[in-house]
Amino acid sequence: MSITMMKRAAAALTLAIGACITALSPASADVRLKDLVDVEGVRGNDLVGYGLVIGLNGTGDTLRNSPYTEEALANILERLGVNVQGEDFRPNNVAAVLVTAELPPFSRRGSRIDVTVSSIGDAKSLSGGTLVMTPLNAADNQIYAVAQGSVLVSGFKAEGDAESVVEGVPTAGTIPGGAFVEKEIEFNFAQMPRIRLALRDPDFTTAERVETAINQSSGAPIARMMDAGTVELSLADGVDPARLISRIENITLQPAQKARVVIDQRSGTIVLGADVTVSTVAVSQGNLSIRITETPVVSQPNPFSRNGETIVVPRTTVDVFETGPGNIATVQQNVTLSDLVSGLNALGVSPREMIDILKTMKTAGALHAELVLQ
């Protein structure tokens, strides 16, 4: 079957192949520089803290199984002037949590940041709870923010004596704007002697295009490509680094893209880049199916038999058959991506079968693209 015949056969079929998503992004799309690179030193910092969520409706930690929750609660109450030493209290409306957040670059005191709250005990749900004041530390063990507020949970859990239903993750939630920045990261961007731009997807061609675009925009050779992932900017005397970045970050250019096929085997999703090419190859698809059916038969002894007994006699039926059209399709060299998809459609393959075909074509050396399996 030639590729022309396959295209005619595929014309009557739907081009959307189930869960298969084919990306036909034009290679000439202009992208802003700010969407391609990161500025060296301009990054966020991770924060983490240990705290308690209170006010739960009986869905908190079982203190017998989570002694650290009881200890933390006792420490908080003692700091508030309540002596609980020697008291036997076991509330079920408290849960121990880890609080995580990211301190954005150039954050100042008093700024608000979002936090994520996750249970570390055996709590069933954090819905309706309130996070008690929790200091958030960075890797240097210094406190940079303090979090507190009502926890928003998207999941829920409902249960009875014989059945339970869980939707989402009820043991994790967020607090939008739930932390105040108390300490700033020492970083003087204005005093940097040079600026390095790090490409998020390193590529020599893209780095050269970034260098050319910046030099043409500024009218001076201030940019220099160092490697596939770095472009360095030289600063003349009196040049403000922040103003320079603001002038060049909206420059548009065409990034070079690698030919890539991304396959998610769990969902059956396939994403093919526009630069994917194939060599001449013949493709045949078919499935060998084996079906085993068990129909046991009960055999009973004759009436008034003294030594007879009832037994189950197995009856097994095995059927072997092959599915699929059994056609062999020839995919010619340097066909377009749409021709490749149309040809595979003409074979009547499913998304799962198409994943196997693409992997086999890559093994045969006929698929000229990076194959990414997830």
Side-chain angles (χ1 to χ4, degrees):
M1 181 183 292
S2 66
I3 193 64
T4 304
M5 296 177 62
M6 288 189 296
K7 290 171 62 179
R8 292 176 180 174
L13 298 177
T14 256
L15 292 180
I17 318 167
C20 174
I21 304 174
T22 304
L24 295 174
S25 303
S28 59
D30 290 337
V31 182
R32 295 180 304 175
L33 184 62
K34 66 167 59 179
D35 299 322
L36 294 175
V37 302
D38 293 317
V39 181
E40 182 184 34
V42 180
R43 65 176 184 86
N45 289 270
D46 293 329
L47 305 178
V48 65
Y50 171 82
L52 292 179
V53 172
I54 62 174
L56 303 176
N57 186 20
T59 59
D61 290 341
T62 304
L63 298 186
R64 188 180 304 276
N65 298 330
S66 306
Y68 45 83
T69 304
E70 181 178 2
E71 181 180 353
L73 180 59
N75 291 337
I76 291 178
L77 292 177
E78 288 181 0
R79 289 201 303 268
L80 296 176
V82 180
N83 186 6
V84 294
Q85 293 295 333
E87 299 292 336
D88 185 15
F89 72 109
R90 297 195 176 276
N92 59 357
N93 61 348
V94 181
V97 295
L98 282 182
V99 184
T100 57
E102 180 183 354
L103 184 64
F106 309 118
S107 295
R108 302 305 176 193
R109 287 180 184 155
S111 300
R112 284 183 174 270
I113 58 176
D114 299 338
V115 298
T116 301
V117 181
S118 305
S119 172
I120 60 175
D122 58 354
K124 298 178 181 179
S125 175
L126 300 181
S127 179
T130 301
L131 177 69
V132 180
M133 184 181 297
T134 303
L136 302 179
N137 300 3
D140 58 359
N141 206 29
Q142 299 292 319
I143 298 176
Y144 286 88
V146 176
Q148 182 170 280
S150 300
V151 181
L152 300 181
V153 178
S154 58
F156 68 89
K157 179 177 182 180
E159 61 180 348
D161 293 336
E163 187 177 359
S164 63
V165 177
V166 179
E167 181 71 23
V169 183
T171 54
T174 60
I175 307 178
F180 281 104
V181 177
E182 300 292 343
K183 185 178 180 180
E184 302 174 4
I185 300 292
E186 297 296 335
F187 178 62
N188 194 344
F189 186 72
Q191 298 299 322
M192 294 185 65
R194 64 171 184 257
I195 298 176
R196 289 183 177 180
L197 305 179
L199 272 68
R200 296 170 185 170
D201 190 6
D203 183 85
F204 284 103
T205 303
T206 303
E208 190 274 334
R209 292 178 183 178
V210 170
E211 176 192 65
T212 302
I214 294 176
N215 290 337
Q216 289 178 351
S217 176
S218 60
I222 63 173
R224 181 173 66 92
M225 182 181 68
M226 302 183 64
D227 51 47
T230 309
V231 176
E232 185 177 85
L233 305 180
S234 59
L235 301 176
D237 294 338
V239 176
D240 186 0
R243 291 186 180 275
L244 176 61
I245 294 297
S246 69
R247 287 198 298 265
I248 69 173
E249 67 178 358
N250 291 314
I251 296 175
T252 58
L253 64 142
Q254 299 175 6
Q257 298 178 351
K258 294 181 180 179
R260 183 174 296 166
V261 178
V262 182
I263 296 176
D264 189 338
Q265 300 183 89
R266 292 172 297 180
S267 62
T269 301
I270 309 172
V271 179
L272 299 95
D275 296 327
V276 175
T277 59
V278 296
S279 299
T280 302
V281 64
V283 180
S284 176
Q285 184 274 331
N287 287 331
L288 182 65
S289 300
I290 301 176
R291 182 174 60 191
I292 301 176
T293 305
E294 297 285 352
T295 55
V297 177
V298 178
S299 177
Q300 296 183 350
N302 294 327
F304 307 106
S305 175
R306 306 181 67 179
N307 298 324
E309 61 181 13
T310 302
I311 61 173
V312 177
V313 180
R315 291 289 185 269
T316 303
T317 303
V318 180
D319 297 324
V320 180
F321 55 92
E322 187 173 6
T323 61
N327 298 329
I328 298 179
T330 301
V331 182
Q332 300 296 334
Q333 184 176 5
N334 294 328
V335 299
T336 64
L337 180 59
S338 59
D339 289 338
L340 173 62
V341 174
S342 298
L344 294 177
N345 277 344
L347 291 177
V349 299
S350 66
R352 297 286 181 182
E353 295 164 342
M354 186 174 292
I355 289 175
D356 294 334
I357 291 176
L358 291 175
K359 289 192 295 185
T360 307
M361 290 177 64
K362 178 65 176 178
T363 304
L367 180 63
H368 305 296
E370 179 186 359
L371 191 61
V372 180
L373 301 178
Q374 297 179 345

